Amino acid sequence: DNIARRAHQQAIVETGVKQLHRARRRGPGGGVAVAYGPPPRGGGAVTNPPPPPGAPTARAMELFHACFDNGLLVRATGDIIALSPPLIVEKVQIEEMFGKIADLLDAVD
């Protein structure tokens, strides 16, 4: 059933986003926010630190290029990366996507 499959995928993606948010919370000046649809249930929005002076999109664009170079396509919007995986994505691919993003976030920061 397609509806059940999409709901299952949504739950996997929400878990990945929540894990990235928990891992990336830092003090002022650190990190890039990750956006996927509405804020995760029960998690609320994650406050993104202000961008570096004079470089409002530098971190997200650096992450965008790193993701692209590693086979991931994300969208940079200000200091946020937005994810939109295809509807045919499998659980293992979602987990791989979030694993790569976590590693690349560490490299960018």
Side-chain angles (χ1 to χ4, degrees):
D1 172 53
N2 279 339
I3 294 173
R5 186 176 193 291
R6 301 295 174 253
H8 180 69
Q9 287 173 333
Q10 177 70 19
I12 296 167
V13 171
E14 282 185 12
T15 298
V17 170
K18 286 178 184 179
Q19 288 171 344
L20 279 178
H21 283 171
R22 281 193 296 273
R24 305 307 301 166
R25 286 202 173 130
R26 297 194 171 155
V32 173
V34 177
Y36 174 83
R41 284 180 285 229
V46 173
T47 303
N48 194 35
T57 64
R59 289 183 295 213
M61 285 307 296
E62 185 178 350
L63 182 60
F64 167 82
H65 289 290
C67 285
F68 187 81
D69 292 344
N70 284 276
L72 295 174
L73 185 57
V74 299
R75 185 176 71 245
T77 305
D79 218 24
I80 296 171
I81 59 162
L83 309 174
S84 183
L87 296 175
I88 59 170
V89 70
E90 297 292 333
K91 180 181 182 205
V92 68
Q93 293 167 317
I94 295 169
E95 291 168 346
E96 179 184 0
M97 175 181 67
F98 282 107
K100 282 184 179 182
I101 290 172
D103 292 344
L104 294 169
L105 278 168
D106 288 339
V108 167
D109 285 343

